[in-house]
Amino acid sequence: MRRLAEATAKATPVLEARNATKHFALRGRGSKGHEVHALESANLTLYRGRIAALVGESGSGKTTLARLMALAYPLTDGEILLDGEPADPRGQKDRRRYYARVQLIFQDPFSSLNHLKRVRYIIGRALRIHGRAAGRAEVEAKVLQLLERVNLTPAKDFIDKFPHQLSGGQRQRVVIARALAVEPAVLLGDEPVSMLDVSIRLDILNLLAKLRDDEGLAILYITHDIASARYFADDINVMYAGQLVESGPAEAVSQQPKHPYTRLLLDCSPDPDRRDDGVVDRFDDDLGEPPSLIDPPPGCRFHPRCPFARDECRTRLPELTSFDDGSWTRCWLYGDGGHSHEPAEEMLTR
Ligand code: SF4
Protein backbone atom coordinates (compact mmCIF):
# COMPACT_ATOMS: atom_id res chain seq x y z
CA MET A 1 0.00 0.00 0.00
CA ARG A 2 1.49 3.30 -1.08
CA ARG A 3 -1.57 5.24 -0.03
CA LEU A 4 -0.04 6.79 3.07
CA ALA A 5 3.25 7.59 1.41
CA GLU A 6 1.59 9.16 -1.61
CA ALA A 7 -0.91 11.10 0.48
CA THR A 8 1.78 12.66 2.58
CA ALA A 9 4.68 12.66 0.15
CA LYS A 10 6.88 15.70 0.52
CA ALA A 11 4.30 17.17 2.88
CA THR A 12 5.66 16.27 6.26
CA PRO A 13 9.36 16.63 6.91
CA VAL A 14 10.29 14.73 10.02
CA LEU A 15 14.07 14.83 10.30
CA GLU A 16 16.34 17.29 8.59
CA ALA A 17 20.08 17.89 8.36
CA ARG A 18 20.91 21.49 7.47
CA ASN A 19 24.43 22.30 6.36
CA ALA A 20 25.59 19.37 8.47
CA THR A 21 29.38 19.42 8.66
CA LYS A 22 31.71 17.08 10.49
CA HIS A 23 35.48 17.30 10.81
CA PHE A 24 37.29 14.73 12.93
CA ALA A 25 40.54 15.78 14.59
CA LEU A 26 43.36 13.36 13.88
CA ARG A 27 45.20 11.96 16.86
CA GLY A 28 48.72 10.62 17.12
CA ARG A 29 52.23 11.78 16.48
CA GLY A 30 52.65 14.33 13.74
CA SER A 31 48.91 14.75 13.21
CA LYS A 32 48.34 17.79 15.42
CA GLY A 33 46.18 20.35 13.67
CA HIS A 34 45.09 17.92 10.96
CA GLU A 35 41.45 16.99 10.44
CA VAL A 36 39.42 14.54 8.39
CA HIS A 37 36.85 16.59 6.47
CA ALA A 38 34.28 13.80 6.59
CA LEU A 39 31.18 15.81 5.73
CA GLU A 40 30.66 19.29 4.30
CA SER A 41 27.41 21.27 4.43
CA ALA A 42 25.05 18.37 3.76
CA ASN A 43 21.33 19.11 3.44
CA LEU A 44 19.02 16.12 3.67
CA THR A 45 15.36 15.91 4.65
CA LEU A 46 13.44 12.76 5.54
CA TYR A 47 9.68 12.80 4.98
CA ARG A 48 6.90 10.80 6.56
CA GLY A 49 6.06 7.76 4.44
CA ARG A 50 9.11 8.10 2.20
CA ILE A 51 12.42 6.32 1.78
CA ALA A 52 15.47 8.40 0.97
CA ALA A 53 18.51 6.49 -0.25
CA LEU A 54 21.99 7.83 0.44
CA VAL A 55 24.37 6.34 -2.09
CA GLY A 56 28.13 6.47 -2.50
CA GLU A 57 31.40 4.62 -2.12
CA SER A 58 32.83 3.49 1.22
CA GLY A 59 34.27 6.43 3.11
CA SER A 60 32.14 9.01 1.29
CA GLY A 61 30.50 10.29 4.49
CA LYS A 62 27.20 8.39 4.36
CA THR A 63 27.55 6.83 7.80
CA THR A 64 28.81 10.09 9.27
CA LEU A 65 25.66 11.86 8.10
CA ALA A 66 23.41 9.10 9.51
CA ARG A 67 25.21 9.22 12.84
CA LEU A 68 24.92 12.99 13.00
CA MET A 69 21.19 12.61 12.38
CA ALA A 70 21.13 10.03 15.18
CA LEU A 71 22.98 12.48 17.45
CA ALA A 72 25.78 9.96 17.85
CA TYR A 73 28.37 12.67 17.13
CA PRO A 74 28.35 16.40 17.80
CA LEU A 75 28.22 18.56 14.66
CA THR A 76 31.17 20.68 13.64
CA ASP A 77 28.68 23.04 11.98
CA GLY A 78 25.06 23.09 10.85
CA GLU A 79 22.04 21.71 12.65
CA ILE A 80 19.68 18.75 12.91
CA LEU A 81 15.94 19.44 13.14
CA LEU A 82 13.34 16.98 14.37
CA ASP A 83 9.73 17.93 13.58
CA GLY A 84 10.98 21.38 12.62
CA GLU A 85 12.69 22.02 15.97
CA PRO A 86 16.47 22.07 16.45
CA ALA A 87 17.58 18.85 18.13
CA ASP A 88 19.48 20.06 21.12
CA PRO A 89 19.28 17.43 23.85
CA ARG A 90 20.49 18.78 27.18
CA GLY A 91 20.48 15.58 29.19
CA GLN A 92 19.61 11.91 29.25
CA LYS A 93 15.85 12.56 29.28
CA ASP A 94 16.05 14.75 26.17
CA ARG A 95 18.18 12.15 24.43
CA ARG A 96 15.74 9.39 25.30
CA ARG A 97 12.89 11.44 23.87
CA TYR A 98 14.91 11.93 20.68
CA TYR A 99 15.70 8.22 20.37
CA ALA A 100 12.03 7.43 20.85
CA ARG A 101 11.53 9.22 17.51
CA VAL A 102 14.75 8.34 15.67
CA GLN A 103 16.26 4.86 15.60
CA LEU A 104 19.48 3.74 13.94
CA ILE A 105 19.82 0.27 12.39
CA PHE A 106 23.38 -0.90 11.98
CA GLN A 107 25.00 -2.89 9.22
CA ASP A 108 25.98 -5.90 11.33
CA PRO A 109 23.00 -7.40 13.14
CA PHE A 110 25.20 -9.78 15.11
CA SER A 111 27.34 -7.14 16.77
CA SER A 112 24.35 -4.92 17.52
CA LEU A 113 22.63 -7.61 19.63
CA ASN A 114 23.66 -8.81 23.08
CA HIS A 115 24.75 -12.42 22.50
CA LEU A 116 24.07 -13.41 26.08
CA LYS A 117 20.41 -12.38 26.08
CA ARG A 118 17.32 -13.91 24.58
CA VAL A 119 15.13 -12.11 22.05
CA ARG A 120 12.52 -11.66 24.80
CA TYR A 121 14.98 -9.59 26.86
CA ILE A 122 16.51 -7.69 23.93
CA ILE A 123 13.19 -6.33 22.68
CA GLY A 124 11.56 -6.19 26.12
CA ARG A 125 14.33 -3.95 27.41
CA ALA A 126 13.62 -1.35 24.72
CA LEU A 127 9.90 -1.47 25.60
CA ARG A 128 10.62 -0.95 29.28
CA ILE A 129 13.23 1.80 28.88
CA HIS A 130 10.92 3.85 26.70
CA GLY A 131 7.84 3.14 28.81
CA ARG A 132 6.00 1.30 26.02
CA ALA A 133 5.11 -1.64 28.26
CA ALA A 134 5.36 -2.61 31.93
CA GLY A 135 4.89 -5.87 33.72
CA ARG A 136 5.87 -9.28 32.46
CA ALA A 137 2.64 -10.18 30.68
CA GLU A 138 2.35 -6.87 28.81
CA VAL A 139 5.99 -6.92 27.77
CA GLU A 140 5.69 -10.49 26.49
CA ALA A 141 2.52 -9.68 24.54
CA LYS A 142 4.19 -6.68 22.91
CA VAL A 143 7.38 -8.60 22.11
CA LEU A 144 5.27 -11.24 20.37
CA GLN A 145 3.41 -8.54 18.42
CA LEU A 146 6.68 -6.97 17.32
CA LEU A 147 8.07 -10.31 16.17
CA GLU A 148 4.91 -10.82 14.10
CA ARG A 149 5.30 -7.35 12.58
CA VAL A 150 8.77 -8.22 11.30
CA ASN A 151 7.56 -11.58 10.01
CA LEU A 152 9.32 -13.75 12.57
CA THR A 153 6.46 -16.22 12.84
CA PRO A 154 5.23 -18.07 14.72
CA ALA A 155 6.56 -15.53 17.21
CA LYS A 156 6.56 -18.03 20.08
CA ASP A 157 9.27 -20.00 18.25
CA PHE A 158 11.61 -16.99 18.29
CA ILE A 159 11.01 -15.22 21.60
CA ASP A 160 13.34 -17.42 23.62
CA LYS A 161 16.12 -17.76 21.06
CA PHE A 162 19.60 -16.34 21.53
CA PRO A 163 21.06 -14.31 18.62
CA HIS A 164 23.48 -17.10 17.69
CA GLN A 165 20.52 -19.42 17.15
CA LEU A 166 19.16 -17.14 14.40
CA SER A 167 20.19 -16.64 10.77
CA GLY A 168 21.59 -13.26 9.66
CA GLY A 169 18.24 -12.22 8.20
CA GLN A 170 16.39 -13.26 11.34
CA ARG A 171 18.84 -11.30 13.49
CA GLN A 172 18.32 -8.19 11.38
CA ARG A 173 14.55 -8.63 11.83
CA VAL A 174 15.10 -8.72 15.61
CA VAL A 175 17.14 -5.50 15.32
CA ILE A 176 14.28 -3.89 13.39
CA ALA A 177 11.71 -5.17 15.92
CA ARG A 178 13.77 -3.65 18.72
CA ALA A 179 13.86 -0.33 16.84
CA LEU A 180 10.08 -0.49 16.31
CA ALA A 181 9.52 -1.20 20.01
CA VAL A 182 10.06 2.47 20.83
CA GLU A 183 7.46 3.52 18.20
CA PRO A 184 9.81 5.73 16.19
CA ALA A 185 8.96 8.09 13.35
CA VAL A 186 12.33 7.62 11.63
CA LEU A 187 14.54 4.63 10.87
CA LEU A 188 18.11 5.35 9.83
CA GLY A 189 19.35 2.19 8.09
CA ASP A 190 23.14 2.14 7.75
CA GLU A 191 23.67 -0.46 5.02
CA PRO A 192 21.04 -2.66 6.70
CA VAL A 193 21.32 -5.50 4.18
CA SER A 194 24.94 -5.41 3.03
CA MET A 195 26.08 -8.14 5.43
CA LEU A 196 23.19 -10.46 4.63
CA ASP A 197 23.00 -13.20 2.03
CA VAL A 198 21.82 -11.89 -1.32
CA SER A 199 18.82 -14.25 -1.09
CA ILE A 200 17.41 -12.52 1.99
CA ARG A 201 18.28 -8.90 1.22
CA LEU A 202 15.10 -8.41 -0.73
CA ASP A 203 13.01 -9.74 2.18
CA ILE A 204 14.46 -7.15 4.54
CA LEU A 205 14.07 -4.34 1.99
CA ASN A 206 10.45 -5.38 1.42
CA LEU A 207 9.90 -5.31 5.17
CA LEU A 208 11.24 -1.74 5.37
CA ALA A 209 9.06 -0.74 2.40
CA LYS A 210 6.04 -2.19 4.20
CA LEU A 211 6.84 -0.13 7.31
CA ARG A 212 7.01 2.96 5.11
CA ASP A 213 3.73 2.19 3.37
CA ASP A 214 1.66 0.85 6.24
CA GLU A 215 2.97 2.95 9.10
CA GLY A 216 4.28 6.07 7.41
CA LEU A 217 7.82 5.74 8.73
CA ALA A 218 10.46 8.06 7.32
CA ILE A 219 13.41 5.89 6.33
CA LEU A 220 17.01 6.65 5.40
CA TYR A 221 18.51 3.80 3.41
CA ILE A 222 22.28 3.96 3.15
CA THR A 223 23.86 1.83 0.47
CA HIS A 224 26.70 1.67 -2.02
CA ASP A 225 24.34 -0.16 -4.40
CA ILE A 226 22.50 2.41 -6.51
CA ALA A 227 20.51 -0.38 -8.23
CA SER A 228 18.79 -1.34 -4.97
CA ALA A 229 18.19 2.35 -4.23
CA ARG A 230 16.48 2.76 -7.56
CA TYR A 231 13.98 -0.02 -6.93
CA PHE A 232 13.43 0.57 -3.25
CA ALA A 233 13.71 4.30 -2.52
CA ASP A 234 11.51 7.28 -3.38
CA ASP A 235 14.43 9.70 -3.49
CA ILE A 236 18.13 9.20 -4.16
CA ASN A 237 20.91 11.34 -2.73
CA VAL A 238 24.41 10.80 -4.09
CA MET A 239 27.43 11.53 -1.94
CA TYR A 240 31.03 11.83 -3.03
CA ALA A 241 34.00 12.49 -0.75
CA GLY A 242 31.91 14.09 1.99
CA GLN A 243 29.71 16.21 -0.29
CA LEU A 244 26.22 15.65 -1.66
CA VAL A 245 26.54 16.00 -5.43
CA GLU A 246 23.09 15.06 -6.73
CA SER A 247 19.64 14.52 -5.28
CA GLY A 248 16.11 14.02 -6.51
CA PRO A 249 13.27 11.58 -7.15
CA ALA A 250 14.63 8.06 -7.68
CA GLU A 251 13.25 7.90 -11.21
CA ALA A 252 14.90 11.18 -12.24
CA VAL A 253 18.28 10.39 -10.71
CA SER A 254 18.43 6.85 -12.06
CA GLN A 255 17.02 7.50 -15.52
CA GLN A 256 18.52 10.91 -16.24
CA PRO A 257 21.54 11.29 -13.98
CA LYS A 258 23.16 14.70 -14.18
CA HIS A 259 26.40 14.49 -12.22
CA PRO A 260 29.26 12.53 -13.84
CA TYR A 261 29.78 10.60 -10.59
CA THR A 262 26.15 9.46 -10.52
CA ARG A 263 26.60 8.32 -14.12
CA LEU A 264 29.67 6.37 -13.07
CA LEU A 265 27.79 4.66 -10.24
CA LEU A 266 24.99 3.73 -12.60
CA ASP A 267 27.48 2.46 -15.11
CA CYS A 268 28.66 -0.01 -12.48
CA SER A 269 25.09 -1.32 -12.15
CA PRO A 270 23.80 -1.56 -15.73
CA ASP A 271 20.10 -1.05 -16.33
CA PRO A 272 18.61 -1.99 -19.70
CA ASP A 273 15.79 0.57 -19.26
CA ARG A 274 18.11 3.52 -18.80
CA ARG A 275 18.52 6.07 -21.52
CA ASP A 276 22.12 5.72 -22.63
CA ASP A 277 23.81 8.57 -24.41
CA GLY A 278 27.22 6.92 -24.30
CA VAL A 279 28.65 9.30 -21.74
CA VAL A 280 29.65 6.52 -19.39
CA ASP A 281 31.89 5.01 -22.06
CA ARG A 282 34.13 8.03 -21.73
CA PHE A 283 35.23 7.11 -18.20
CA ASP A 284 38.58 5.39 -18.10
CA ASP A 285 38.87 2.02 -16.45
CA ASP A 286 41.58 3.43 -14.24
CA LEU A 287 39.86 6.22 -12.37
CA GLY A 288 42.11 6.04 -9.35
CA GLU A 289 41.08 6.16 -5.74
CA PRO A 290 38.71 8.56 -4.02
CA PRO A 291 40.60 11.55 -2.62
CA SER A 292 42.02 11.85 0.88
CA LEU A 293 39.63 13.67 3.16
CA ILE A 294 42.51 14.97 5.26
CA ASP A 295 43.56 17.20 2.39
CA PRO A 296 40.60 17.07 -0.01
CA PRO A 297 40.92 18.53 -3.52
CA PRO A 298 39.76 22.16 -3.81
CA GLY A 299 36.77 23.04 -5.95
CA CYS A 300 34.79 20.00 -7.00
CA ARG A 301 36.20 17.04 -5.08
CA PHE A 302 35.49 14.78 -8.05
CA HIS A 303 37.73 16.72 -10.41
CA PRO A 304 40.81 14.41 -10.19
CA ARG A 305 38.64 11.56 -11.54
CA CYS A 306 36.31 13.45 -13.83
CA PRO A 307 36.84 13.32 -17.61
CA PHE A 308 34.86 16.58 -17.99
CA ALA A 309 36.88 18.63 -15.51
CA ARG A 310 37.56 22.25 -16.52
CA ASP A 311 39.72 24.90 -14.91
CA GLU A 312 36.96 26.23 -12.68
CA CYS A 313 36.26 22.70 -11.37
CA ARG A 314 39.72 22.70 -9.79
CA THR A 315 39.23 25.91 -7.85
CA ARG A 316 35.53 26.62 -7.23
CA LEU A 317 32.91 24.52 -5.48
CA PRO A 318 30.10 24.08 -8.03
CA GLU A 319 26.86 25.88 -7.30
CA LEU A 320 23.58 24.05 -7.01
CA THR A 321 21.56 23.69 -10.21
CA SER A 322 17.97 22.50 -10.04
CA PHE A 323 16.00 20.77 -12.81
CA ASP A 324 12.39 20.49 -13.85
CA ASP A 325 12.29 16.80 -12.91
CA GLY A 326 12.75 17.74 -9.23
CA SER A 327 16.43 16.84 -9.04
CA TRP A 328 19.46 19.03 -8.42
CA THR A 329 23.19 18.66 -8.86
CA ARG A 330 26.42 20.47 -8.11
CA CYS A 331 28.46 20.41 -11.29
CA TRP A 332 29.93 23.21 -13.42
CA LEU A 333 28.67 21.53 -16.57
CA TYR A 334 25.27 22.94 -15.72
CA GLY A 335 26.01 26.63 -15.63
CA ASP A 336 25.71 29.13 -12.86
CA GLY A 337 23.23 27.31 -10.69
CA GLY A 338 19.76 28.10 -9.44
CA HIS A 339 17.91 27.45 -12.71
CA SER A 340 16.61 24.50 -14.66
CA HIS A 341 18.95 23.50 -17.44
CA GLU A 342 19.00 21.08 -20.26
CA PRO A 343 21.65 18.38 -19.87
CA ALA A 344 24.98 20.01 -20.51
CA GLU A 345 25.93 19.90 -24.15
CA GLU A 346 29.45 18.96 -23.23
CA MET A 347 28.15 15.77 -21.60
CA LEU A 348 26.44 14.78 -24.82
CA THR A 349 28.96 15.77 -27.43
CA ARG A 350 32.39 15.28 -25.95
FE1 SF4 B 1 33.38 17.05 -13.32
FE2 SF4 B 1 33.67 19.68 -13.06
FE3 SF4 B 1 31.25 18.59 -12.85
FE4 SF4 B 1 33.07 18.22 -10.94
S1 SF4 B 1 32.14 20.17 -11.52
S2 SF4 B 1 31.78 16.68 -11.81
S3 SF4 B 1 34.96 18.09 -12.14
S4 SF4 B 1 32.56 18.64 -14.67
Side-chain angles (χ1 to χ4, degrees):
M1 285 183 291
R2 293 288 292 126
R3 80 273 175 271
L4 188 52
E6 276 151 18
T8 58
K10 296 286 185 186
T12 318
V14 185
L15 187 62
E16 189 175 352
R18 271 193 206 160
N19 296 318
T21 298
K22 184 65 185 174
H23 297 169
F24 294 100
L26 282 178
R27 296 181 204 287
R29 240 174 118 184
S31 54
K32 198 174 172 199
H34 292 285
E35 291 182 320
V36 177
H37 297 242
L39 191 71
E40 302 287 358
S41 297
N43 291 302
L44 183 72
T45 303
L46 302 181
Y47 295 90
R48 179 170 157 75
R50 251 179 124 74
I51 295 173
L54 185 55
V55 182
E57 293 165 288
S58 297
S60 60
K62 308 185 300 295
T63 294
T64 300
L65 179 53
R67 292 191 179 194
L68 289 173
M69 294 177 93
L71 303 187
Y73 303 139
L75 289 148
T76 302
D77 201 2
E79 59 181 348
I80 305 296
L81 293 96
L82 178 63
D83 300 321
E85 298 291 325
D88 185 23
R90 297 289 163 96
Q92 202 178 350
K93 266 192 175 174
D94 280 359
R95 281 195 169 266
R96 195 164 286 171
R97 266 197 290 272
Y98 188 87
Y99 296 137
R101 301 277 291 156
V102 180
Q103 284 281 302
L104 186 58
I105 296 170
F106 295 97
Q107 186 176 20
D108 180 1
F110 200 60
S111 65
S112 57
L113 295 173
N114 185 337
H115 302 205
L116 303 176
K117 300 292 184 185
R118 297 178 194 274
V119 168
R120 172 192 299 276
Y121 174 89
I122 290 167
I123 300 176
R125 184 166 182 271
L127 288 165
R128 285 198 170 93
I129 286 176
H130 288 274
R132 304 300 189 214
R136 208 171 152 168
E138 189 186 5
V139 169
E140 176 166 331
K142 286 216 168 181
V143 172
L144 289 170
Q145 276 174 19
L146 285 158
L147 292 174
E148 300 267 351
R149 269 169 77 191
V150 298
N151 301 331
L152 284 174
T153 54
K156 279 198 176 303
D157 289 358
F158 291 93
I159 193 168
D160 284 317
K161 299 267 195 207
F162 288 98
H164 69 83
Q165 296 174 307
L166 302 172
S167 69
Q170 289 169 342
R171 282 197 287 269
Q172 195 61 300
R173 286 175 194 274
V174 171
V175 170
I176 294 169
R178 181 180 59 185
L180 295 176
V182 308
E183 298 169 21
V186 179
L187 291 180
L188 303 172
D190 186 3
E191 306 235 20
V193 297
S194 63
M195 292 189 72
L196 304 178
D197 285 349
V198 173
S199 58
I200 50 178
R201 287 181 188 175
L202 194 59
D203 288 348
I204 297 292
L205 293 180
N206 285 337
L207 170 62
L208 293 175
K210 188 171 175 339
L211 294 170
R212 166 195 66 187
D213 298 343
D214 293 355
E215 304 184 24
L217 286 175
I219 297 177
L220 178 66
Y221 170 54
I222 292 180
T223 181
H224 55 267
D225 174 18
I226 198 166
S228 70
R230 181 195 165 197
Y231 289 104
F232 170 61
D234 301 285
D235 303 297
I236 296 179
N237 304 273
V238 181
M239 183 163 272
Y240 182 78
Q243 295 175 330
L244 283 170
V245 297
E246 181 162 358
S247 176
E251 183 75 8
V253 173
S254 61
Q255 292 305 308
Q256 295 191 326
K258 315 299 187 302
H259 196 280
Y261 179 62
T262 310
R263 289 172 170 250
L264 179 61
L265 287 179
L266 286 161
D267 188 36
C268 297
S269 58
D271 172 4
D273 296 336
R274 193 171 59 246
R275 202 181 76 175
D276 184 4
D277 51 25
V279 168
V280 291
D281 296 339
R282 286 190 280 277
F283 285 102
D284 295 334
D285 288 340
D286 182 16
L287 277 172
E289 296 294 314
S292 161
L293 295 183
I294 298 171
D295 185 19
C300 171
R301 289 185 178 180
F302 191 56
H303 83 250
R305 302 170 90 184
C306 181
F308 306 102
R310 319 159 163 189
D311 287 348
E312 61 189 333
C313 304
R314 299 181 181 90
T315 53
R316 293 174 61 208
L317 178 70
E319 292 176 25
L320 188 148
T321 302
S322 47
F323 298 85
D324 293 339
D325 60 11
S327 68
W328 61 257
T329 191
R330 283 186 182 277
C331 172
W332 285 122
L333 292 177
Y334 295 92
D336 298 323
H339 307 287
S340 293
H341 289 258
E342 289 300 311
E345 205 176 314
E346 190 170 349
M347 292 282 272
L348 303 173
T349 57
R350 185 168 155 174

